[in-house]
Amino acid sequence: MSSSVGNPTAVVSSAVQKYAATAGGLLPLLHEIQASLGHIPKDYVAAIASGMGLSRAEVHGVISFYQDFHYQPRGDATIHLCRAEACQAMGARKLEQHVKARLGIDFGGTTADGRFSLEPVYCLGNCACSPSIRIGDDVHARVDANRFDELLGEY
Ligand code: FES
């Protein structure tokens, strides 16, 4: 990789140069910035828009629409909490309250120590063992408040 890794100005400028002339280049550009910096710094939306010949609203619209893109740095692991019907029927709402209180964040947030981000998800394909959550790449079944606390301790 180049020496631009981790430097937002250099990363954004290099990505804009790479994709400015590409039709539909905004998505790969945003993926590249997200991969290099771990997020898309909001302060650079204007530079991205101008470099790509788009409005700031268009760039913001794409960043907001896709769950892969984030304005804030993400935690080391993302916790996806299922909010779909089967999990809701088995206590996911109560679990959600506990998870938010325990982590001290809402959906879209990242803990102060940078360890966890929290996101909603709408079915993890594990409905028979609701409520389900995914921490990083691992799906966990029949999670209640106590089990969640145990899982946190394991990460
Ligand atoms: S509804 Fe939660 S895993 Fe399917």
Side-chain angles (χ1 to χ4, degrees):
M1 277 306 244
S2 73
S3 60
S4 67
V5 172
N7 175 331
T9 302
V11 166
V12 169
S13 153
S14 149
V16 166
Q17 273 178 23
K18 188 165 163 190
Y19 293 106
T22 306
L26 182 61
L27 276 179
L29 170 143
L30 292 174
H31 276 294
E32 187 162 308
I33 295 172
Q34 175 78 41
S36 295
L37 301 176
H39 69 298
I40 312 226
K42 209 166 192 171
D43 290 351
Y44 288 84
V45 167
I48 293 168
S50 139
M52 299 300 286
L54 300 167
S55 71
R56 275 185 276 182
E58 285 171 306
V59 174
H60 172 70
V62 170
I63 292 169
S64 310
F65 182 78
Y66 289 97
Q67 282 198 344
D68 286 351
F69 303 136
H70 304 279
Y71 281 129
Q72 301 299 326
R74 310 304 293 157
D76 298 333
T78 297
I79 298 172
H80 284 94
L81 192 147
C82 181
R83 301 190 82 204
E85 197 173 331
C87 283
Q88 296 264 320
M90 294 301 286
R93 274 188 205 168
K94 206 168 159 198
L95 176 64
E96 178 182 326
Q97 286 172 357
H98 174 77
V99 168
K100 288 178 175 175
R102 178 69 205 271
L103 297 175
I105 54 175
D106 205 338
F107 286 130
T110 296
T111 54
D113 62 5
R115 292 185 66 209
F116 299 105
S117 294
L118 180 63
E119 296 291 343
V121 68
Y122 295 88
C123 196
L124 289 163
N126 200 35
C127 318
C129 301
S130 313
S132 298
I133 64 169
R134 185 170 68 216
I135 304 180
D137 294 328
D138 305 320
V139 174
H140 300 278
R142 298 205 168 93
V143 180
D144 60 12
N146 287 338
R147 180 65 185 134
F148 178 76
D149 291 347
E150 283 174 11
L151 288 168
L152 267 198
E154 293 169 16
Y155 277 82

